[in-house]
Amino acid sequence: MQQRQLGPFKVSAIGLGCMNICHAYGAPVSEQQAERVLLGALDAGVTHFDTAALYGFGASETLVGKYLSPHRSKFTLASKCGMQGVPNADGVKVRVIDGRPETIKATCEEALKRLKTDVIDLYYLHRWDKQVPIEDSVGALSDLVRAGKIQTIGLSEVSAPTLRRAQAVHPITAVQTEYSLWTRNPEIAVLDTCREFGIAFVAFSPVARGFLCGELNVGAFDAKDIRRSMPRFAPENYATNLTLLPGYLAMANEVGCTPAQLAIAWLLHRGENILPIPGTTSLAHLKDDLGAANVKLDASVMARLNDHINQHTVKGERYNAQGSSEVDTEVF
C-alpha cells in the first residue's frame, strides 16, 4: 500500500472510514462481519482508521477498540467529538452538536475507554458548534494534547475562515470533509488553505455515497438510510444524476478499473495531501476500494472526469436544509 503523510503520521494512502459498520446506511452488520472488515483492512495494509463518538452512538468506537486495540501499534487512530448521542426526555439517544470545552473533554474520556487506548492519534471536532467560539473548542482540544490524551487535532466540515481561526489557537493536522467528483465544495477555498498551512485533507464519501459505484436502487433504501433525506437521491434529481453514469462507467472501462477505483484514484491524483477514507461493510468492496492505489490516470482522463461530473452537472444539494445548517463549509 502506498503511504501518505497525515500530519506527523505516515499512513496508507487509502484509509477506512468506520461509520458504515454500525451507522447511517441502514441496519448495522453483525459484530462478526464488522470484525472481518476491520481486521481485513488491517491485513490488507490499511493503517488509518477513522471513527467517531457519533457513529452508532459509541458502537463504532467500541468495535474498533474491541478488535483493533490488540494491534494498536500498527495503525493511526482517528476519532471525533462535538457531535454525539445524548438521551432525550424519553431516554432515547438523539444526535446533539455540542462543542463546549467540558463536553469535548468528557467525550474524549469516554472514547478512550471504548477504544481501549491511552491516546487518540488524531481527534477531530466533528462539527463546529456555532454557539461556541471555535477558539474555545480548539482550546479544549489543545488542553487534551497537553494532557497526553490526544496527539493531534482535526476539524470536520469547516470553512477556510474558521480553519484560520482554529489554526491561530493550535496547529491543525487535518481537515475532514466530503469530497468526490460530485461534491466539489472543498475546491472553493479549504483545499488551498490546507495546502497553505501544510494540513492534510481527509476526504470522506469518496465514492459519492455509493453513486459512483454504479446505479443504486434508491427505492430500496432502508428506512434509516441517511440518503433518503439527501436531495441528490430524491427521485427527480436522481433521475437526472443517473444520466451521468454511462459516460463515467465508460471511462472506468477505458482506464481498466472499477467505478469505485476510478472515483478514489481521481482523489489521489488531486493532491499528495489528500487521503480518501471510503467506508464499507463488505470485504469484497474493501478490496475493490484499496485497488484504487494502483490506478494511474493521465491528464486527459482527469480533465474529462472533471468536466463530466462536477457542481454544474450534478443536480441537488448534498444535504437537506437541516444538514446544511449544521456544517460550516463553503457552498457554490
Side-chain angles (χ1 to χ4, degrees):
M1 172 66 71
Q2 298 173 23
Q3 305 291 299
R4 292 196 168 182
Q5 286 299 134
L6 180 60
F9 312 108
K10 182 165 282 191
V11 302
S12 52
I14 301 170
L16 181 68
C18 301
M19 179 178 76
N20 303 41
I21 57 175
C22 64
H23 181 84
Y25 294 113
V29 296
S30 68
E31 183 171 329
Q32 291 74 23
Q33 181 62 17
E35 177 188 9
R36 282 192 284 270
V37 170
L38 291 171
L39 293 179
L42 192 68
D43 288 343
V46 172
T47 58
H48 175 200
F49 290 83
D50 182 280
T51 183
L54 175 71
Y55 303 159
F57 296 151
S60 177
E61 287 183 329
T62 299
L63 289 166
V64 169
K66 183 173 182 178
Y67 294 110
L68 293 184
S69 62
H71 314 281
R72 185 66 183 84
S73 63
K74 298 179 181 178
F75 65 93
T76 295
L77 174 63
S79 195
K80 308 180 197 72
C81 63
M83 183 163 63
Q84 58 273 323
V86 176
N88 62 14
D90 298 322
V92 178
K93 283 190 175 181
V94 295
R95 189 185 62 154
V96 171
I97 296 174
D98 185 348
R100 292 175 297 170
E102 59 270 27
T103 302
I104 287 172
K105 292 176 181 179
T107 303
C108 181
E109 293 294 342
E110 294 164 359
L112 289 168
K113 293 175 184 176
R114 287 191 291 261
L115 292 164
K116 298 184 184 297
T117 188
D118 295 326
V119 62
I120 298 169
D121 300 316
L122 172 59
Y123 205 42
Y124 292 90
L125 185 67
H126 204 160
R127 291 289 187 274
W128 173 35
D129 180 351
K130 298 172 186 177
Q131 305 303 311
V132 179
I134 189 66
E135 292 83 356
D136 291 357
S137 296
V138 174
L141 291 168
S142 183
D143 289 342
L144 290 171
V145 173
R146 284 188 289 273
K149 305 286 187 180
I150 67 175
Q151 289 201 60
T152 62
I153 296 172
L155 300 174
S156 179
E157 296 275 29
V158 296
S159 64
T162 302
L163 174 56
R164 289 181 183 279
R165 288 170 56 191
Q167 178 74 13
V169 175
H170 190 281
I172 302 301
T173 288
V175 169
Q176 182 174 147
T177 293
E178 182 176 356
Y179 188 31
S180 68
L181 277 162
W182 88 338
T183 296
R184 302 296 196 91
N185 304 65
E187 296 174 5
I188 299 172
V190 166
L191 277 174
D192 286 341
T193 306
C194 285
R195 293 188 184 105
E196 177 185 340
F197 289 111
I199 296 170
F201 185 93
V202 176
F204 75 78
S205 297
V207 296
R209 303 186 186 275
F211 175 77
L212 293 174
C213 297
E215 186 169 350
L216 299 167
N217 184 357
V218 296
F221 283 166
D222 186 271
K224 293 184 178 180
D225 193 312
I226 59 174
R227 292 172 294 185
R228 282 185 171 272
S229 68
M230 292 179 171
R232 290 178 182 176
F233 292 98
E236 181 182 345
N237 291 340
Y238 189 65
T240 299
N241 292 332
L242 272 180
T243 64
L244 299 171
L245 272 183
Y248 175 76
L249 297 177
M251 279 188 265
N253 186 61
E254 175 189 333
V255 171
C257 66
T258 67
Q261 289 171 352
L262 184 61
I264 296 169
W266 176 82
L267 279 167
L268 292 172
H269 284 69
R270 292 291 290 171
E272 284 294 323
N273 71 320
I274 296 174
L275 297 93
I277 51 165
T280 184
T281 59
S282 160
L283 284 171
H285 289 169
L286 170 68
K287 182 178 180 180
D288 184 20
D289 291 344
L290 298 181
N294 300 317
V295 175
K296 305 299 181 185
L297 305 179
D298 62 29
S300 171
V301 172
M302 289 294 289
R304 286 157 54 202
L305 285 168
N306 286 333
D307 289 342
H308 187 63
I309 301 180
N310 56 57
Q311 69 272 21
H312 303 296
T313 62
V314 171
K315 187 174 182 183
E317 300 297 325
R318 69 185 181 110
Y319 288 136
N320 61 16
Q322 178 182 338
S324 296
S325 70
E326 293 175 348
V327 298
D328 178 51
T329 44
E330 288 92 352
V331 295
F332 289 101

